[in-house]
Amino acid sequence: YTKDENKRTRKMTKNSRGQSVYMIIVIMIILFAGEYFLPEEDQIISGYPISDNGHVVAGRRFDYEGNDGIKGTYTKEMRDKIGPSRHFTILFTTFVFLQIVNEWNCRKLFNEVNVFEGIFQNPISMFVRLLESVVQVIISEYSGRLFSVYPSGMMWYQWLICIGFSCGSFVIRLLLLLIPEDGCGQYGNKEVDPLTNNAAVSYTHLRAHETSLHLVCRLLLEKK
């Protein structure tokens, strides 16, 4: 983009809103329905079962209607003796990887299909994204109570679910390419050169945009 473009274009608005809706849906599904589809190993730790019919024990106290004491709740006693719930660990990890995947999506701004095109032309950017991913894996697997994650991390099939939801952001981006952006707003005034524009501007604004050539002309005029 050049400096005379809107600060937030229609393409940016379309993609940010579309990705935001997808992320909210994913997070809400995991948060309020995770105990119905997130698999968990049948195991008893410190006298407490960590699974509920083969699924994770719900890490929240309330259901989506605000009712307390839902079935299979990860109780305070379980948190004290076992550690933070695996349900919320999956939620946290998925949320972070959704952001990381969307960073890859943001590499292309003009509706290009392949977001990985020219990836090796910017090794610093690629290194940062990979570093973010590695750090998140370490946090989710080994940080325990320090970052409020399950002490033994996640099972491999739970990682597949996290990565699957996150990579869905790539699919959403491709679907957004099919949606016209005419109805999306663009925000931020375009930056206009006041020295070539006929509109009235303040002297301070004029001084802020002058070039070395403009400066010479101004000094000559002031000298007269």
PDB file of all heavy atoms in Angstrom, residues 53-76:
ATOM      1  N   ASN A  53     -16.984 -40.081  30.209  1.00  0.00           N
ATOM      2  CA  ASN A  53     -17.442 -40.888  29.073  1.00  0.00           C
ATOM      3  C   ASN A  53     -16.524 -40.739  27.865  1.00  0.00           C
ATOM      4  O   ASN A  53     -16.977 -40.617  26.728  1.00  0.00           O
ATOM      5  CB  ASN A  53     -18.879 -40.521  28.693  1.00  0.00           C
ATOM      6  CG  ASN A  53     -19.873 -40.896  29.781  1.00  0.00           C
ATOM      7  OD1 ASN A  53     -19.712 -41.918  30.457  1.00  0.00           O
ATOM      8  ND2 ASN A  53     -20.907 -40.071  29.957  1.00  0.00           N
ATOM      9  N   GLY A  54     -15.218 -40.721  28.128  1.00  0.00           N
ATOM     10  CA  GLY A  54     -14.251 -40.650  27.034  1.00  0.00           C
ATOM     11  C   GLY A  54     -13.982 -39.250  26.530  1.00  0.00           C
ATOM     12  O   GLY A  54     -13.255 -39.081  25.546  1.00  0.00           O
ATOM     13  N   HIS A  55     -14.554 -38.234  27.178  1.00  0.00           N
ATOM     14  CA  HIS A  55     -14.331 -36.844  26.778  1.00  0.00           C
ATOM     15  C   HIS A  55     -13.758 -36.052  27.953  1.00  0.00           C
ATOM     16  O   HIS A  55     -13.799 -36.506  29.105  1.00  0.00           O
ATOM     17  CB  HIS A  55     -15.635 -36.203  26.303  1.00  0.00           C
ATOM     18  CG  HIS A  55     -16.236 -36.878  25.121  1.00  0.00           C
ATOM     19  ND1 HIS A  55     -17.380 -37.649  25.205  1.00  0.00           N
ATOM     20  CD2 HIS A  55     -15.844 -36.927  23.820  1.00  0.00           C
ATOM     21  CE1 HIS A  55     -17.682 -38.131  24.005  1.00  0.00           C
ATOM     22  NE2 HIS A  55     -16.763 -37.719  23.154  1.00  0.00           N
ATOM     23  N   VAL A  56     -13.228 -34.873  27.656  1.00  0.00           N
ATOM     24  CA  VAL A  56     -12.629 -34.061  28.710  1.00  0.00           C
ATOM     25  C   VAL A  56     -13.694 -33.620  29.708  1.00  0.00           C
ATOM     26  O   VAL A  56     -14.874 -33.474  29.364  1.00  0.00           O
ATOM     27  CB  VAL A  56     -11.926 -32.814  28.123  1.00  0.00           C
ATOM     28  CG1 VAL A  56     -10.773 -33.198  27.228  1.00  0.00           C
ATOM     29  CG2 VAL A  56     -12.920 -31.920  27.391  1.00  0.00           C
ATOM     30  N   VAL A  57     -13.274 -33.415  30.940  1.00  0.00           N
ATOM     31  CA  VAL A  57     -14.157 -32.867  31.954  1.00  0.00           C
ATOM     32  C   VAL A  57     -14.232 -31.353  31.731  1.00  0.00           C
ATOM     33  O   VAL A  57     -13.216 -30.687  31.526  1.00  0.00           O
ATOM     34  CB  VAL A  57     -13.625 -33.180  33.365  1.00  0.00           C
ATOM     35  CG1 VAL A  57     -14.480 -32.507  34.426  1.00  0.00           C
ATOM     36  CG2 VAL A  57     -13.584 -34.682  33.584  1.00  0.00           C
ATOM     37  N   ALA A  58     -15.423 -30.801  31.752  1.00  0.00           N
ATOM     38  CA  ALA A  58     -15.611 -29.379  31.485  1.00  0.00           C
ATOM     39  C   ALA A  58     -14.839 -28.532  32.489  1.00  0.00           C
ATOM     40  O   ALA A  58     -14.985 -28.709  33.700  1.00  0.00           O
ATOM     41  CB  ALA A  58     -17.095 -29.022  31.523  1.00  0.00           C
ATOM     42  N   GLY A  59     -14.023 -27.622  31.993  1.00  0.00           N
ATOM     43  CA  GLY A  59     -13.223 -26.789  32.878  1.00  0.00           C
ATOM     44  C   GLY A  59     -13.971 -25.609  33.461  1.00  0.00           C
ATOM     45  O   GLY A  59     -13.484 -24.943  34.367  1.00  0.00           O
ATOM     46  N   ARG A  60     -15.154 -25.318  32.968  1.00  0.00           N
ATOM     47  CA  ARG A  60     -15.930 -24.171  33.460  1.00  0.00           C
ATOM     48  C   ARG A  60     -16.920 -24.621  34.523  1.00  0.00           C
ATOM     49  O   ARG A  60     -17.282 -25.794  34.604  1.00  0.00           O
ATOM     50  CB  ARG A  60     -16.677 -23.512  32.298  1.00  0.00           C
ATOM     51  CG  ARG A  60     -17.741 -24.405  31.698  1.00  0.00           C
ATOM     52  CD  ARG A  60     -18.370 -23.848  30.432  1.00  0.00           C
ATOM     53  NE  ARG A  60     -19.534 -24.629  30.079  1.00  0.00           N
ATOM     54  CZ  ARG A  60     -19.468 -25.813  29.465  1.00  0.00           C
ATOM     55  NH1 ARG A  60     -18.289 -26.302  29.109  1.00  0.00           N
ATOM     56  NH2 ARG A  60     -20.569 -26.479  29.188  1.00  0.00           N
ATOM     57  N   ARG A  61     -17.396 -23.656  35.303  1.00  0.00           N
ATOM     58  CA  ARG A  61     -18.384 -23.951  36.351  1.00  0.00           C
ATOM     59  C   ARG A  61     -19.806 -23.894  35.823  1.00  0.00           C
ATOM     60  O   ARG A  61     -20.692 -24.560  36.332  1.00  0.00           O
ATOM     61  CB  ARG A  61     -18.239 -22.945  37.497  1.00  0.00           C
ATOM     62  CG  ARG A  61     -17.087 -23.203  38.442  1.00  0.00           C
ATOM     63  CD  ARG A  61     -17.147 -22.211  39.593  1.00  0.00           C
ATOM     64  NE  ARG A  61     -18.448 -22.229  40.244  1.00  0.00           N
ATOM     65  CZ  ARG A  61     -18.857 -21.290  41.101  1.00  0.00           C
ATOM     66  NH1 ARG A  61     -18.077 -20.258  41.367  1.00  0.00           N
ATOM     67  NH2 ARG A  61     -20.053 -21.376  41.660  1.00  0.00           N
ATOM     68  N   PHE A  62     -20.044 -23.054  34.812  1.00  0.00           N
ATOM     69  CA  PHE A  62     -21.409 -22.798  34.366  1.00  0.00           C
ATOM     70  C   PHE A  62     -21.601 -23.276  32.932  1.00  0.00           C
ATOM     71  O   PHE A  62     -20.643 -23.342  32.151  1.00  0.00           O
ATOM     72  CB  PHE A  62     -21.724 -21.301  34.452  1.00  0.00           C
ATOM     73  CG  PHE A  62     -21.483 -20.702  35.802  1.00  0.00           C
ATOM     74  CD1 PHE A  62     -20.279 -20.090  36.097  1.00  0.00           C
ATOM     75  CD2 PHE A  62     -22.458 -20.765  36.788  1.00  0.00           C
ATOM     76  CE1 PHE A  62     -20.048 -19.536  37.346  1.00  0.00           C
ATOM     77  CE2 PHE A  62     -22.237 -20.213  38.043  1.00  0.00           C
ATOM     78  CZ  PHE A  62     -21.024 -19.603  38.323  1.00  0.00           C
ATOM     79  N   ASP A  63     -22.860 -23.583  32.588  1.00  0.00           N
ATOM     80  CA  ASP A  63     -23.164 -23.902  31.206  1.00  0.00           C
ATOM     81  C   ASP A  63     -23.490 -22.614  30.461  1.00  0.00           C
ATOM     82  O   ASP A  63     -23.409 -21.513  31.018  1.00  0.00           O
ATOM     83  CB  ASP A  63     -24.316 -24.903  31.116  1.00  0.00           C
ATOM     84  CG  ASP A  63     -25.623 -24.349  31.690  1.00  0.00           C
ATOM     85  OD1 ASP A  63     -25.686 -23.131  31.988  1.00  0.00           O
ATOM     86  OD2 ASP A  63     -26.577 -25.128  31.843  1.00  0.00           O
ATOM     87  N   TYR A  64     -23.872 -22.731  29.197  1.00  0.00           N
ATOM     88  CA  TYR A  64     -24.098 -21.545  28.376  1.00  0.00           C
ATOM     89  C   TYR A  64     -25.310 -20.736  28.821  1.00  0.00           C
ATOM     90  O   TYR A  64     -25.479 -19.582  28.426  1.00  0.00           O
ATOM     91  CB  TYR A  64     -24.249 -21.941  26.903  1.00  0.00           C
ATOM     92  CG  TYR A  64     -25.437 -22.808  26.602  1.00  0.00           C
ATOM     93  CD1 TYR A  64     -26.652 -22.250  26.222  1.00  0.00           C
ATOM     94  CD2 TYR A  64     -25.345 -24.195  26.691  1.00  0.00           C
ATOM     95  CE1 TYR A  64     -27.757 -23.054  25.952  1.00  0.00           C
ATOM     96  CE2 TYR A  64     -26.443 -25.002  26.428  1.00  0.00           C
ATOM     97  CZ  TYR A  64     -27.640 -24.431  26.062  1.00  0.00           C
ATOM     98  OH  TYR A  64     -28.730 -25.223  25.807  1.00  0.00           O
ATOM     99  N   GLU A  65     -26.163 -21.327  29.670  1.00  0.00           N
ATOM    100  CA  GLU A  65     -27.318 -20.610  30.196  1.00  0.00           C
ATOM    101  C   GLU A  65     -27.049 -20.015  31.575  1.00  0.00           C
ATOM    102  O   GLU A  65     -27.927 -19.406  32.176  1.00  0.00           O
ATOM    103  CB  GLU A  65     -28.529 -21.538  30.264  1.00  0.00           C
ATOM    104  CG  GLU A  65     -29.037 -21.998  28.896  1.00  0.00           C
ATOM    105  CD  GLU A  65     -30.236 -22.915  28.996  1.00  0.00           C
ATOM    106  OE1 GLU A  65     -30.451 -23.470  30.100  1.00  0.00           O
ATOM    107  OE2 GLU A  65     -30.960 -23.066  27.992  1.00  0.00           O
ATOM    108  N   GLY A  66     -25.828 -20.214  32.091  1.00  0.00           N
ATOM    109  CA  GLY A  66     -25.480 -19.665  33.393  1.00  0.00           C
ATOM    110  C   GLY A  66     -25.820 -20.551  34.563  1.00  0.00           C
ATOM    111  O   GLY A  66     -25.732 -20.120  35.717  1.00  0.00           O
ATOM    112  N   ASN A  67     -26.180 -21.807  34.296  1.00  0.00           N
ATOM    113  CA  ASN A  67     -26.525 -22.728  35.377  1.00  0.00           C
ATOM    114  C   ASN A  67     -25.270 -23.305  36.007  1.00  0.00           C
ATOM    115  O   ASN A  67     -24.349 -23.736  35.307  1.00  0.00           O
ATOM    116  CB  ASN A  67     -27.410 -23.860  34.843  1.00  0.00           C
ATOM    117  CG  ASN A  67     -28.713 -23.331  34.262  1.00  0.00           C
ATOM    118  OD1 ASN A  67     -29.337 -22.443  34.825  1.00  0.00           O
ATOM    119  ND2 ASN A  67     -29.104 -23.877  33.113  1.00  0.00           N
ATOM    120  N   ASP A  68     -25.238 -23.331  37.343  1.00  0.00           N
ATOM    121  CA  ASP A  68     -24.073 -23.833  38.067  1.00  0.00           C
ATOM    122  C   ASP A  68     -24.194 -25.347  38.257  1.00  0.00           C
ATOM    123  O   ASP A  68     -25.254 -25.931  38.135  1.00  0.00           O
ATOM    124  CB  ASP A  68     -23.979 -23.136  39.427  1.00  0.00           C
ATOM    125  CG  ASP A  68     -22.608 -23.322  40.050  1.00  0.00           C
ATOM    126  OD1 ASP A  68     -21.775 -24.025  39.463  1.00  0.00           O
ATOM    127  OD2 ASP A  68     -22.367 -22.755  41.132  1.00  0.00           O
ATOM    128  N   GLY A  69     -23.036 -25.959  38.566  1.00  0.00           N
ATOM    129  CA  GLY A  69     -23.028 -27.372  38.887  1.00  0.00           C
ATOM    130  C   GLY A  69     -23.311 -28.284  37.711  1.00  0.00           C
ATOM    131  O   GLY A  69     -24.034 -29.270  37.845  1.00  0.00           O
ATOM    132  N   ILE A  70     -22.783 -27.976  36.536  1.00  0.00           N
ATOM    133  CA  ILE A  70     -23.028 -28.819  35.367  1.00  0.00           C
ATOM    134  C   ILE A  70     -22.338 -30.165  35.541  1.00  0.00           C
ATOM    135  O   ILE A  70     -21.360 -30.305  36.278  1.00  0.00           O
ATOM    136  CB  ILE A  70     -22.522 -28.129  34.083  1.00  0.00           C
ATOM    137  CG1 ILE A  70     -21.025 -27.845  34.168  1.00  0.00           C
ATOM    138  CG2 ILE A  70     -23.258 -26.841  33.821  1.00  0.00           C
ATOM    139  CD1 ILE A  70     -20.440 -27.287  32.895  1.00  0.00           C
ATOM    140  N   LYS A  71     -22.840 -31.154  34.839  1.00  0.00           N
ATOM    141  CA  LYS A  71     -22.326 -32.519  34.958  1.00  0.00           C
ATOM    142  C   LYS A  71     -20.876 -32.585  34.471  1.00  0.00           C
ATOM    143  O   LYS A  71     -20.520 -32.038  33.435  1.00  0.00           O
ATOM    144  CB  LYS A  71     -23.189 -33.463  34.123  1.00  0.00           C
ATOM    145  CG  LYS A  71     -22.737 -34.914  34.154  1.00  0.00           C
ATOM    146  CD  LYS A  71     -23.667 -35.771  33.330  1.00  0.00           C
ATOM    147  CE  LYS A  71     -23.227 -37.221  33.314  1.00  0.00           C
ATOM    148  NZ  LYS A  71     -21.932 -37.413  32.662  1.00  0.00           N
ATOM    149  N   GLY A  72     -20.039 -33.276  35.256  1.00  0.00           N
ATOM    150  CA  GLY A  72     -18.660 -33.468  34.851  1.00  0.00           C
ATOM    151  C   GLY A  72     -17.783 -32.248  35.012  1.00  0.00           C
ATOM    152  O   GLY A  72     -16.800 -32.089  34.305  1.00  0.00           O
ATOM    153  N   THR A  73     -18.113 -31.366  35.951  1.00  0.00           N
ATOM    154  CA  THR A  73     -17.332 -30.140  36.137  1.00  0.00           C
ATOM    155  C   THR A  73     -15.969 -30.447  36.738  1.00  0.00           C
ATOM    156  O   THR A  73     -15.839 -31.285  37.631  1.00  0.00           O
ATOM    157  CB  THR A  73     -18.090 -29.162  37.061  1.00  0.00           C
ATOM    158  OG1 THR A  73     -19.349 -28.854  36.475  1.00  0.00           O
ATOM    159  CG2 THR A  73     -17.312 -27.888  37.245  1.00  0.00           C
ATOM    160  N   TYR A  74     -14.967 -29.752  36.248  1.00  0.00           N
ATOM    161  CA  TYR A  74     -13.619 -29.835  36.810  1.00  0.00           C
ATOM    162  C   TYR A  74     -13.613 -28.985  38.076  1.00  0.00           C
ATOM    163  O   TYR A  74     -13.490 -27.758  38.022  1.00  0.00           O
ATOM    164  CB  TYR A  74     -12.616 -29.322  35.791  1.00  0.00           C
ATOM    165  CG  TYR A  74     -11.186 -29.774  36.019  1.00  0.00           C
ATOM    166  CD1 TYR A  74     -10.747 -31.008  35.559  1.00  0.00           C
ATOM    167  CD2 TYR A  74     -10.277 -28.954  36.673  1.00  0.00           C
ATOM    168  CE1 TYR A  74      -9.439 -31.418  35.753  1.00  0.00           C
ATOM    169  CE2 TYR A  74      -8.965 -29.353  36.876  1.00  0.00           C
ATOM    170  CZ  TYR A  74      -8.560 -30.592  36.411  1.00  0.00           C
ATOM    171  OH  TYR A  74      -7.249 -30.992  36.614  1.00  0.00           O
ATOM    172  N   THR A  75     -13.742 -29.616  39.226  1.00  0.00           N
ATOM    173  CA  THR A  75     -13.976 -28.902  40.479  1.00  0.00           C
ATOM    174  C   THR A  75     -12.716 -28.223  41.001  1.00  0.00           C
ATOM    175  O   THR A  75     -11.601 -28.465  40.524  1.00  0.00           O
ATOM    176  CB  THR A  75     -14.488 -29.880  41.549  1.00  0.00           C
ATOM    177  OG1 THR A  75     -13.478 -30.872  41.794  1.00  0.00           O
ATOM    178  CG2 THR A  75     -15.766 -30.555  41.084  1.00  0.00           C
ATOM    179  N   LYS A  76     -12.926 -27.375  42.009  1.00  0.00           N
ATOM    180  CA  LYS A  76     -11.806 -26.676  42.639  1.00  0.00           C
ATOM    181  C   LYS A  76     -10.853 -27.677  43.284  1.00  0.00           C
ATOM    182  O   LYS A  76      -9.630 -27.496  43.266  1.00  0.00           O
ATOM    183  CB  LYS A  76     -12.326 -25.685  43.681  1.00  0.00           C
ATOM    184  CG  LYS A  76     -11.230 -24.866  44.365  1.00  0.00           C
ATOM    185  CD  LYS A  76     -11.818 -23.890  45.359  1.00  0.00           C
ATOM    186  CE  LYS A  76     -10.719 -23.025  45.987  1.00  0.00           C
ATOM    187  NZ  LYS A  76      -9.697 -23.849  46.691  1.00  0.00           N
TER     188      LYS A  76
END
